[in-house]
Amino acid sequence: MQIAVIEGDDAAPEAMRPSLEILERLNRHYALGIDWVYPPIGAPAEQEFGSPFPMEAQQIIDAASTTYFGSTSGNASRALFYLRWGKETYANVRPCRYFMGMSSPLSDPTGIDFVVVRENLEDLYLGIEGDLDELRGLNFPQRTRRGALSEIGEGRYAVKAITRHGTERVVRFAFELAQKRAQAAGRVPHVTCTAKYNMLARSDGYFVDIARDLAAEYPDVELDTFIIDDFACRIIAQPKALDVVVMPNLYGDIMSDAAAGLIGGLGLAASGCYGRDYAYFESAHGTAPDIAGQNIINPTATLLSGVMMLNYLGFVRAGESLERAIEATYADGHALTPDQGGTASTTDFCASVSDHLGV
Ligand code: IPM
Ligand code: MG
């Protein structure tokens, strides 16, 4: 089995490389049969193949069982677009679980354990923007709230699209994830659906209506709906009440970073993007250019994304062993990176995780 590896930009490779060493240890110990393959990306690919994301890279990604991806600030961004839109990875899963020892700003974060499921392909991420002038010829059924479009002056627009197909599949994904989590924990599955459905009744309202309709097919799952601004307050005031939360793309982008802030910051934010026949795994944070080259980036997000990847591939024992080792590293607190109040380097942290693997 092949896993494509894209190390990413700035400080991301500093988190990816020692994480890969740990995954390779698990690979050997559990005889997982993983071959790591490196698609040609960025400047070297440009030199060899005349493109920063050549066909050869796409073929390696396609042939692999999944892709392990380091954050990008440019070089690998075409790969990111391919992994999302090209591979139709429509459900972006971003767990928010507090481990004892993480540096949360809350006085009592113990027990925070929820998952943001973000629709990953549509909403304002269609990438359709333009000059308002281009719209003036169109005959909108309603006047805008500021008057006729011809009266509101020069400016730009962006298209926000919520489709039935796109919404149904991500909402089903959320319901099914809640069922799996509840079964494992022996409790009632709970889904929260959030969007700005008061102001955007036709688009965000459609997203929430579809969730309400689909709830009838999952009678064991409790469904709550909150308007996104109210939800932003609840995520801080009552994070322990949340289980699985589903929302349109842009809100999910923002709220998943907010969720990471609750437990101790973006260095902890794992992420996996799932489609019908492909998934890929990347940390939710950016490339941290301000600390590039210092060997202090927190690799937890990268490692926990690795846990999600191992589980996706069915390597549950290896995934569990890695997750426990990360937990143990936080619990003993000797090798935490500066963002968690420690003085350890990225490689110290990974050495501690490696020691705790017990393999
Ligand atoms: C994320 C990132 C991306 C997004 C950027 C890099 C395009 O913020 O994965 O959350 O907006 O989806
Ligand atoms: Mg983001």
Side-chain angles (χ1 to χ4, degrees), residues 39-42 44-46 48-61 78 82:
I41 301 273
E46 184 99 57
E48 195 179 343
F49 301 102
S51 156
F53 185 60
M55 210 27 144
E56 286 75 4
Q58 231 182 76
Q59 283 163 353
I60 289 176
I61 289 170
R78 285 182 51 194
Y82 181 65

mmCIF file with all atom_site columns, all heavy atoms in Angstrom, residues 39-42 44-46 48-61 78 82:
data_model
loop_
_atom_site.group_PDB
_atom_site.id
_atom_site.type_symbol
_atom_site.label_atom_id
_atom_site.label_alt_id
_atom_site.label_comp_id
_atom_site.label_asym_id
_atom_site.label_entity_id
_atom_site.label_seq_id
_atom_site.pdbx_PDB_ins_code
_atom_site.Cartn_x
_atom_site.Cartn_y
_atom_site.Cartn_z
_atom_site.occupancy
_atom_site.B_iso_or_equiv
_atom_site.pdbx_formal_charge
_atom_site.auth_seq_id
_atom_site.auth_comp_id
_atom_site.auth_asym_id
_atom_site.auth_atom_id
_atom_site.pdbx_PDB_model_num
ATOM 1   N N   . PRO A 1 39 ? 5.119  12.637 -4.354  1.00 0.00 ? 39 PRO A N   1
ATOM 2   C CA  . PRO A 1 39 ? 4.804  13.256 -5.644  1.00 0.00 ? 39 PRO A CA  1
ATOM 3   C C   . PRO A 1 39 ? 5.707  14.477 -5.884  1.00 0.00 ? 39 PRO A C   1
ATOM 4   O O   . PRO A 1 39 ? 5.993  15.203 -4.927  1.00 0.00 ? 39 PRO A O   1
ATOM 5   C CB  . PRO A 1 39 ? 3.343  13.713 -5.492  1.00 0.00 ? 39 PRO A CB  1
ATOM 6   C CG  . PRO A 1 39 ? 2.831  13.133 -4.227  1.00 0.00 ? 39 PRO A CG  1
ATOM 7   C CD  . PRO A 1 39 ? 4.012  12.727 -3.399  1.00 0.00 ? 39 PRO A CD  1
ATOM 8   N N   . PRO A 1 40 ? 6.160  14.682 -7.104  1.00 0.00 ? 40 PRO A N   1
ATOM 9   C CA  . PRO A 1 40 ? 6.970  15.880 -7.392  1.00 0.00 ? 40 PRO A CA  1
ATOM 10  C C   . PRO A 1 40 ? 6.100  17.144 -7.349  1.00 0.00 ? 40 PRO A C   1
ATOM 11  O O   . PRO A 1 40 ? 5.079  17.227 -8.019  1.00 0.00 ? 40 PRO A O   1
ATOM 12  C CB  . PRO A 1 40 ? 7.483  15.629 -8.813  1.00 0.00 ? 40 PRO A CB  1
ATOM 13  C CG  . PRO A 1 40 ? 6.496  14.675 -9.422  1.00 0.00 ? 40 PRO A CG  1
ATOM 14  C CD  . PRO A 1 40 ? 5.927  13.867 -8.302  1.00 0.00 ? 40 PRO A CD  1
ATOM 15  N N   . ILE A 1 41 ? 6.508  18.093 -6.481  1.00 0.00 ? 41 ILE A N   1
ATOM 16  C CA  . ILE A 1 41 ? 5.717  19.306 -6.232  1.00 0.00 ? 41 ILE A CA  1
ATOM 17  C C   . ILE A 1 41 ? 6.661  20.500 -6.190  1.00 0.00 ? 41 ILE A C   1
ATOM 18  O O   . ILE A 1 41 ? 7.797  20.374 -5.760  1.00 0.00 ? 41 ILE A O   1
ATOM 19  C CB  . ILE A 1 41 ? 5.043  19.213 -4.832  1.00 0.00 ? 41 ILE A CB  1
ATOM 20  C CG1 . ILE A 1 41 ? 4.137  17.999 -4.700  1.00 0.00 ? 41 ILE A CG1 1
ATOM 21  C CG2 . ILE A 1 41 ? 4.327  20.489 -4.444  1.00 0.00 ? 41 ILE A CG2 1
ATOM 22  C CD1 . ILE A 1 41 ? 2.736  18.200 -5.159  1.00 0.00 ? 41 ILE A CD1 1
ATOM 23  N N   . GLY A 1 42 ? 6.169  21.664 -6.596  1.00 0.00 ? 42 GLY A N   1
ATOM 24  C CA  . GLY A 1 42 ? 6.905  22.918 -6.393  1.00 0.00 ? 42 GLY A CA  1
ATOM 25  C C   . GLY A 1 42 ? 8.093  23.087 -7.331  1.00 0.00 ? 42 GLY A C   1
ATOM 26  O O   . GLY A 1 42 ? 8.085  22.574 -8.456  1.00 0.00 ? 42 GLY A O   1
ATOM 27  N N   . PRO A 1 44 ? 11.238 21.881 -7.572  1.00 0.00 ? 44 PRO A N   1
ATOM 28  C CA  . PRO A 1 44 ? 11.894 20.736 -8.221  1.00 0.00 ? 44 PRO A CA  1
ATOM 29  C C   . PRO A 1 44 ? 11.035 20.142 -9.347  1.00 0.00 ? 44 PRO A C   1
ATOM 30  O O   . PRO A 1 44 ? 11.566 19.736 -10.387 1.00 0.00 ? 44 PRO A O   1
ATOM 31  C CB  . PRO A 1 44 ? 12.055 19.708 -7.092  1.00 0.00 ? 44 PRO A CB  1
ATOM 32  C CG  . PRO A 1 44 ? 11.859 20.460 -5.823  1.00 0.00 ? 44 PRO A CG  1
ATOM 33  C CD  . PRO A 1 44 ? 11.047 21.670 -6.128  1.00 0.00 ? 44 PRO A CD  1
ATOM 34  N N   . ALA A 1 45 ? 9.712  20.122 -9.133  1.00 0.00 ? 45 ALA A N   1
ATOM 35  C CA  . ALA A 1 45 ? 8.808  19.590 -10.165 1.00 0.00 ? 45 ALA A CA  1
ATOM 36  C C   . ALA A 1 45 ? 8.802  20.499 -11.386 1.00 0.00 ? 45 ALA A C   1
ATOM 37  O O   . ALA A 1 45 ? 8.779  20.047 -12.531 1.00 0.00 ? 45 ALA A O   1
ATOM 38  C CB  . ALA A 1 45 ? 7.392  19.449 -9.608  1.00 0.00 ? 45 ALA A CB  1
ATOM 39  N N   . GLU A 1 46 ? 8.851  21.787 -11.105 1.00 0.00 ? 46 GLU A N   1
ATOM 40  C CA  . GLU A 1 46 ? 8.891  22.796 -12.169 1.00 0.00 ? 46 GLU A CA  1
ATOM 41  C C   . GLU A 1 46 ? 10.112 22.541 -13.054 1.00 0.00 ? 46 GLU A C   1
ATOM 42  O O   . GLU A 1 46 ? 10.028 22.560 -14.285 1.00 0.00 ? 46 GLU A O   1
ATOM 43  C CB  . GLU A 1 46 ? 8.979  24.183 -11.503 1.00 0.00 ? 46 GLU A CB  1
ATOM 44  C CG  . GLU A 1 46 ? 8.928  25.354 -12.450 1.00 0.00 ? 46 GLU A CG  1
ATOM 45  C CD  . GLU A 1 46 ? 7.532  25.957 -12.525 1.00 0.00 ? 46 GLU A CD  1
ATOM 46  O OE1 . GLU A 1 46 ? 7.014  26.346 -11.463 1.00 0.00 ? 46 GLU A OE1 1
ATOM 47  O OE2 . GLU A 1 46 ? 6.980  26.009 -13.640 1.00 0.00 ? 46 GLU A OE2 1
ATOM 48  N N   . GLU A 1 48 ? 11.920 19.710 -13.309 1.00 0.00 ? 48 GLU A N   1
ATOM 49  C CA  . GLU A 1 48 ? 11.952 18.415 -13.989 1.00 0.00 ? 48 GLU A CA  1
ATOM 50  C C   . GLU A 1 48 ? 10.819 18.246 -14.991 1.00 0.00 ? 48 GLU A C   1
ATOM 51  O O   . GLU A 1 48 ? 10.995 17.666 -16.056 1.00 0.00 ? 48 GLU A O   1
ATOM 52  C CB  . GLU A 1 48 ? 11.927 17.289 -12.949 1.00 0.00 ? 48 GLU A CB  1
ATOM 53  C CG  . GLU A 1 48 ? 12.325 15.950 -13.549 1.00 0.00 ? 48 GLU A CG  1
ATOM 54  C CD  . GLU A 1 48 ? 12.331 14.820 -12.532 1.00 0.00 ? 48 GLU A CD  1
ATOM 55  O OE1 . GLU A 1 48 ? 12.349 15.090 -11.311 1.00 0.00 ? 48 GLU A OE1 1
ATOM 56  O OE2 . GLU A 1 48 ? 12.299 13.655 -12.985 1.00 0.00 ? 48 GLU A OE2 1
ATOM 57  N N   . PHE A 1 49 ? 9.619  18.736 -14.628 1.00 0.00 ? 49 PHE A N   1
ATOM 58  C CA  . PHE A 1 49 ? 8.444  18.457 -15.463 1.00 0.00 ? 49 PHE A CA  1
ATOM 59  C C   . PHE A 1 49 ? 7.802  19.705 -16.059 1.00 0.00 ? 49 PHE A C   1
ATOM 60  O O   . PHE A 1 49 ? 6.790  19.621 -16.748 1.00 0.00 ? 49 PHE A O   1
ATOM 61  C CB  . PHE A 1 49 ? 7.383  17.705 -14.649 1.00 0.00 ? 49 PHE A CB  1
ATOM 62  C CG  . PHE A 1 49 ? 7.862  16.403 -14.083 1.00 0.00 ? 49 PHE A CG  1
ATOM 63  C CD1 . PHE A 1 49 ? 8.220  16.300 -12.748 1.00 0.00 ? 49 PHE A CD1 1
ATOM 64  C CD2 . PHE A 1 49 ? 7.960  15.273 -14.892 1.00 0.00 ? 49 PHE A CD2 1
ATOM 65  C CE1 . PHE A 1 49 ? 8.656  15.095 -12.216 1.00 0.00 ? 49 PHE A CE1 1
ATOM 66  C CE2 . PHE A 1 49 ? 8.401  14.065 -14.361 1.00 0.00 ? 49 PHE A CE2 1
ATOM 67  C CZ  . PHE A 1 49 ? 8.750  13.966 -13.027 1.00 0.00 ? 49 PHE A CZ  1
ATOM 68  N N   . GLY A 1 50 ? 8.343  20.894 -15.719 1.00 0.00 ? 50 GLY A N   1
ATOM 69  C CA  . GLY A 1 50 ? 7.811  22.137 -16.290 1.00 0.00 ? 50 GLY A CA  1
ATOM 70  C C   . GLY A 1 50 ? 6.521  22.606 -15.646 1.00 0.00 ? 50 GLY A C   1
ATOM 71  O O   . GLY A 1 50 ? 5.810  23.445 -16.207 1.00 0.00 ? 50 GLY A O   1
ATOM 72  N N   . SER A 1 51 ? 6.177  22.072 -14.465 1.00 0.00 ? 51 SER A N   1
ATOM 73  C CA  . SER A 1 51 ? 4.963  22.526 -13.772 1.00 0.00 ? 51 SER A CA  1
ATOM 74  C C   . SER A 1 51 ? 5.139  22.266 -12.274 1.00 0.00 ? 51 SER A C   1
ATOM 75  O O   . SER A 1 51 ? 5.730  21.253 -11.880 1.00 0.00 ? 51 SER A O   1
ATOM 76  C CB  . SER A 1 51 ? 3.747  21.756 -14.296 1.00 0.00 ? 51 SER A CB  1
ATOM 77  O OG  . SER A 1 51 ? 2.712  21.753 -13.328 1.00 0.00 ? 51 SER A OG  1
ATOM 78  N N   . PRO A 1 52 ? 4.607  23.168 -11.400 1.00 0.00 ? 52 PRO A N   1
ATOM 79  C CA  . PRO A 1 52 ? 4.733  22.928 -9.950  1.00 0.00 ? 52 PRO A CA  1
ATOM 80  C C   . PRO A 1 52 ? 3.828  21.788 -9.465  1.00 0.00 ? 52 PRO A C   1
ATOM 81  O O   . PRO A 1 52 ? 4.011  21.282 -8.365  1.00 0.00 ? 52 PRO A O   1
ATOM 82  C CB  . PRO A 1 52 ? 4.294  24.261 -9.335  1.00 0.00 ? 52 PRO A CB  1
ATOM 83  C CG  . PRO A 1 52 ? 3.445  24.912 -10.378 1.00 0.00 ? 52 PRO A CG  1
ATOM 84  C CD  . PRO A 1 52 ? 3.965  24.455 -11.703 1.00 0.00 ? 52 PRO A CD  1
ATOM 85  N N   . PHE A 1 53 ? 2.874  21.406 -10.304 1.00 0.00 ? 53 PHE A N   1
ATOM 86  C CA  . PHE A 1 53 ? 2.024  20.269 -9.953  1.00 0.00 ? 53 PHE A CA  1
ATOM 87  C C   . PHE A 1 53 ? 1.733  19.458 -11.224 1.00 0.00 ? 53 PHE A C   1
ATOM 88  O O   . PHE A 1 53 ? 0.660  19.531 -11.808 1.00 0.00 ? 53 PHE A O   1
ATOM 89  C CB  . PHE A 1 53 ? 0.719  20.755 -9.298  1.00 0.00 ? 53 PHE A CB  1
ATOM 90  C CG  . PHE A 1 53 ? -0.145 19.619 -8.796  1.00 0.00 ? 53 PHE A CG  1
ATOM 91  C CD1 . PHE A 1 53 ? 0.334  18.737 -7.831  1.00 0.00 ? 53 PHE A CD1 1
ATOM 92  C CD2 . PHE A 1 53 ? -1.422 19.436 -9.291  1.00 0.00 ? 53 PHE A CD2 1
ATOM 93  C CE1 . PHE A 1 53 ? -0.454 17.690 -7.380  1.00 0.00 ? 53 PHE A CE1 1
ATOM 94  C CE2 . PHE A 1 53 ? -2.224 18.384 -8.838  1.00 0.00 ? 53 PHE A CE2 1
ATOM 95  C CZ  . PHE A 1 53 ? -1.726 17.517 -7.882  1.00 0.00 ? 53 PHE A CZ  1
ATOM 96  N N   . PRO A 1 54 ? 2.734  18.703 -11.669 1.00 0.00 ? 54 PRO A N   1
ATOM 97  C CA  . PRO A 1 54 ? 2.612  18.008 -12.962 1.00 0.00 ? 54 PRO A CA  1
ATOM 98  C C   . PRO A 1 54 ? 1.689  16.789 -12.884 1.00 0.00 ? 54 PRO A C   1
ATOM 99  O O   . PRO A 1 54 ? 1.343  16.330 -11.793 1.00 0.00 ? 54 PRO A O   1
ATOM 100 C CB  . PRO A 1 54 ? 4.052  17.568 -13.236 1.00 0.00 ? 54 PRO A CB  1
ATOM 101 C CG  . PRO A 1 54 ? 4.678  17.436 -11.893 1.00 0.00 ? 54 PRO A CG  1
ATOM 102 C CD  . PRO A 1 54 ? 4.016  18.461 -11.019 1.00 0.00 ? 54 PRO A CD  1
ATOM 103 N N   . MET A 1 55 ? 1.326  16.281 -14.046 1.00 0.00 ? 55 MET A N   1
ATOM 104 C CA  . MET A 1 55 ? 0.528  15.069 -14.171 1.00 0.00 ? 55 MET A CA  1
ATOM 105 C C   . MET A 1 55 ? 1.110  13.922 -13.339 1.00 0.00 ? 55 MET A C   1
ATOM 106 O O   . MET A 1 55 ? 0.379  13.153 -12.719 1.00 0.00 ? 55 MET A O   1
ATOM 107 C CB  . MET A 1 55 ? 0.527  14.671 -15.658 1.00 0.00 ? 55 MET A CB  1
ATOM 108 C CG  . MET A 1 55 ? -0.690 13.961 -16.131 1.00 0.00 ? 55 MET A CG  1
ATOM 109 S SD  . MET A 1 55 ? -2.143 14.368 -15.177 1.00 0.00 ? 55 MET A SD  1
ATOM 110 C CE  . MET A 1 55 ? -3.366 14.373 -16.354 1.00 0.00 ? 55 MET A CE  1
ATOM 111 N N   . GLU A 1 56 ? 2.456  13.843 -13.320 1.00 0.00 ? 56 GLU A N   1
ATOM 112 C CA  . GLU A 1 56 ? 3.130  12.772 -12.578 1.00 0.00 ? 56 GLU A CA  1
ATOM 113 C C   . GLU A 1 56 ? 2.742  12.805 -11.096 1.00 0.00 ? 56 GLU A C   1
ATOM 114 O O   . GLU A 1 56 ? 2.589  11.759 -10.460 1.00 0.00 ? 56 GLU A O   1
ATOM 115 C CB  . GLU A 1 56 ? 4.654  12.904 -12.711 1.00 0.00 ? 56 GLU A CB  1
ATOM 116 C CG  . GLU A 1 56 ? 5.243  12.502 -14.059 1.00 0.00 ? 56 GLU A CG  1
ATOM 117 C CD  . GLU A 1 56 ? 5.007  13.520 -15.170 1.00 0.00 ? 56 GLU A CD  1
ATOM 118 O OE1 . GLU A 1 56 ? 4.449  14.605 -14.903 1.00 0.00 ? 56 GLU A OE1 1
ATOM 119 O OE2 . GLU A 1 56 ? 5.390  13.224 -16.324 1.00 0.00 ? 56 GLU A OE2 1
ATOM 120 N N   . ALA A 1 57 ? 2.584  14.030 -10.556 1.00 0.00 ? 57 ALA A N   1
ATOM 121 C CA  . ALA A 1 57 ? 2.209  14.162 -9.140  1.00 0.00 ? 57 ALA A CA  1
ATOM 122 C C   . ALA A 1 57 ? 0.781  13.667 -8.933  1.00 0.00 ? 57 ALA A C   1
ATOM 123 O O   . ALA A 1 57 ? 0.489  12.918 -7.992  1.00 0.00 ? 57 ALA A O   1
ATOM 124 C CB  . ALA A 1 57 ? 2.338  15.614 -8.696  1.00 0.00 ? 57 ALA A CB  1
ATOM 125 N N   . GLN A 1 58 ? -0.085 14.073 -9.854  1.00 0.00 ? 58 GLN A N   1
ATOM 126 C CA  . GLN A 1 58 ? -1.482 13.635 -9.773  1.00 0.00 ? 58 GLN A CA  1
ATOM 127 C C   . GLN A 1 58 ? -1.591 12.112 -9.819  1.00 0.00 ? 58 GLN A C   1
ATOM 128 O O   . GLN A 1 58 ? -2.354 11.503 -9.070  1.00 0.00 ? 58 GLN A O   1
ATOM 129 C CB  . GLN A 1 58 ? -2.219 14.204 -10.974 1.00 0.00 ? 58 GLN A CB  1
ATOM 130 C CG  . GLN A 1 58 ? -3.472 14.926 -10.613 1.00 0.00 ? 58 GLN A CG  1
ATOM 131 C CD  . GLN A 1 58 ? -4.164 15.426 -11.868 1.00 0.00 ? 58 GLN A CD  1
ATOM 132 O OE1 . GLN A 1 58 ? -4.786 14.666 -12.605 1.00 0.00 ? 58 GLN A OE1 1
ATOM 133 N NE2 . GLN A 1 58 ? -4.056 16.714 -12.102 1.00 0.00 ? 58 GLN A NE2 1
ATOM 134 N N   . GLN A 1 59 ? -0.804 11.519 -10.703 1.00 0.00 ? 59 GLN A N   1
ATOM 135 C CA  . GLN A 1 59 ? -0.861 10.051 -10.851 1.00 0.00 ? 59 GLN A CA  1
ATOM 136 C C   . GLN A 1 59 ? -0.414 9.351  -9.574  1.00 0.00 ? 59 GLN A C   1
ATOM 137 O O   . GLN A 1 59 ? -0.997 8.336  -9.173  1.00 0.00 ? 59 GLN A O   1
ATOM 138 C CB  . GLN A 1 59 ? -0.002 9.607  -12.041 1.00 0.00 ? 59 GLN A CB  1
ATOM 139 C CG  . GLN A 1 59 ? -0.693 9.872  -13.365 1.00 0.00 ? 59 GLN A CG  1
ATOM 140 C CD  . GLN A 1 59 ? 0.253  9.843  -14.560 1.00 0.00 ? 59 GLN A CD  1
ATOM 141 O OE1 . GLN A 1 59 ? 1.477  9.749  -14.381 1.00 0.00 ? 59 GLN A OE1 1
ATOM 142 N NE2 . GLN A 1 59 ? -0.293 9.943  -15.759 1.00 0.00 ? 59 GLN A NE2 1
ATOM 143 N N   . ILE A 1 60 ? 0.600  9.903  -8.920  1.00 0.00 ? 60 ILE A N   1
ATOM 144 C CA  . ILE A 1 60 ? 1.077  9.281  -7.676  1.00 0.00 ? 60 ILE A CA  1
ATOM 145 C C   . ILE A 1 60 ? 0.006  9.396  -6.583  1.00 0.00 ? 60 ILE A C   1
ATOM 146 O O   . ILE A 1 60 ? -0.260 8.437  -5.847  1.00 0.00 ? 60 ILE A O   1
ATOM 147 C CB  . ILE A 1 60 ? 2.422  9.921  -7.240  1.00 0.00 ? 60 ILE A CB  1
ATOM 148 C CG1 . ILE A 1 60 ? 3.518  9.478  -8.216  1.00 0.00 ? 60 ILE A CG1 1
ATOM 149 C CG2 . ILE A 1 60 ? 2.781  9.539  -5.811  1.00 0.00 ? 60 ILE A CG2 1
ATOM 150 C CD1 . ILE A 1 60 ? 4.878  10.095 -7.982  1.00 0.00 ? 60 ILE A CD1 1
ATOM 151 N N   . ILE A 1 61 ? -0.636 10.559 -6.526  1.00 0.00 ? 61 ILE A N   1
ATOM 152 C CA  . ILE A 1 61 ? -1.724 10.754 -5.543  1.00 0.00 ? 61 ILE A CA  1
ATOM 153 C C   . ILE A 1 61 ? -2.871 9.779  -5.839  1.00 0.00 ? 61 ILE A C   1
ATOM 154 O O   . ILE A 1 61 ? -3.419 9.135  -4.938  1.00 0.00 ? 61 ILE A O   1
ATOM 155 C CB  . ILE A 1 61 ? -2.221 12.217 -5.578  1.00 0.00 ? 61 ILE A CB  1
ATOM 156 C CG1 . ILE A 1 61 ? -1.159 13.136 -4.964  1.00 0.00 ? 61 ILE A CG1 1
ATOM 157 C CG2 . ILE A 1 61 ? -3.564 12.358 -4.869  1.00 0.00 ? 61 ILE A CG2 1
ATOM 158 C CD1 . ILE A 1 61 ? -1.430 14.622 -5.146  1.00 0.00 ? 61 ILE A CD1 1
ATOM 159 N N   . ARG A 1 78 ? -1.677 23.908 -5.382  1.00 0.00 ? 78 ARG A N   1
ATOM 160 C CA  . ARG A 1 78 ? -2.415 23.214 -6.455  1.00 0.00 ? 78 ARG A CA  1
ATOM 161 C C   . ARG A 1 78 ? -2.689 21.770 -6.082  1.00 0.00 ? 78 ARG A C   1
ATOM 162 O O   . ARG A 1 78 ? -3.701 21.193 -6.471  1.00 0.00 ? 78 ARG A O   1
ATOM 163 C CB  . ARG A 1 78 ? -1.662 23.327 -7.785  1.00 0.00 ? 78 ARG A CB  1
ATOM 164 C CG  . ARG A 1 78 ? -1.836 24.751 -8.344  1.00 0.00 ? 78 ARG A CG  1
ATOM 165 C CD  . ARG A 1 78 ? -1.189 24.959 -9.669  1.00 0.00 ? 78 ARG A CD  1
ATOM 166 N NE  . ARG A 1 78 ? -1.525 23.978 -10.671 1.00 0.00 ? 78 ARG A NE  1
ATOM 167 C CZ  . ARG A 1 78 ? -0.850 23.841 -11.817 1.00 0.00 ? 78 ARG A CZ  1
ATOM 168 N NH1 . ARG A 1 78 ? 0.177  24.615 -12.063 1.00 0.00 ? 78 ARG A NH1 1
ATOM 169 N NH2 . ARG A 1 78 ? -1.210 22.933 -12.689 1.00 0.00 ? 78 ARG A NH2 1
ATOM 170 N N   . TYR A 1 82 ? -6.341 20.027 -5.779  1.00 0.00 ? 82 TYR A N   1
ATOM 171 C CA  . TYR A 1 82 ? -6.614 18.728 -6.408  1.00 0.00 ? 82 TYR A CA  1
ATOM 172 C C   . TYR A 1 82 ? -7.168 17.734 -5.372  1.00 0.00 ? 82 TYR A C   1
ATOM 173 O O   . TYR A 1 82 ? -8.126 17.014 -5.639  1.00 0.00 ? 82 TYR A O   1
ATOM 174 C CB  . TYR A 1 82 ? -5.340 18.173 -7.064  1.00 0.00 ? 82 TYR A CB  1
ATOM 175 C CG  . TYR A 1 82 ? -5.595 16.848 -7.732  1.00 0.00 ? 82 TYR A CG  1
ATOM 176 C CD1 . TYR A 1 82 ? -6.454 16.763 -8.839  1.00 0.00 ? 82 TYR A CD1 1
ATOM 177 C CD2 . TYR A 1 82 ? -5.042 15.670 -7.244  1.00 0.00 ? 82 TYR A CD2 1
ATOM 178 C CE1 . TYR A 1 82 ? -6.737 15.541 -9.428  1.00 0.00 ? 82 TYR A CE1 1
ATOM 179 C CE2 . TYR A 1 82 ? -5.310 14.450 -7.834  1.00 0.00 ? 82 TYR A CE2 1
ATOM 180 C CZ  . TYR A 1 82 ? -6.155 14.398 -8.921  1.00 0.00 ? 82 TYR A CZ  1
ATOM 181 O OH  . TYR A 1 82 ? -6.452 13.187 -9.507  1.00 0.00 ? 82 TYR A OH  1
#
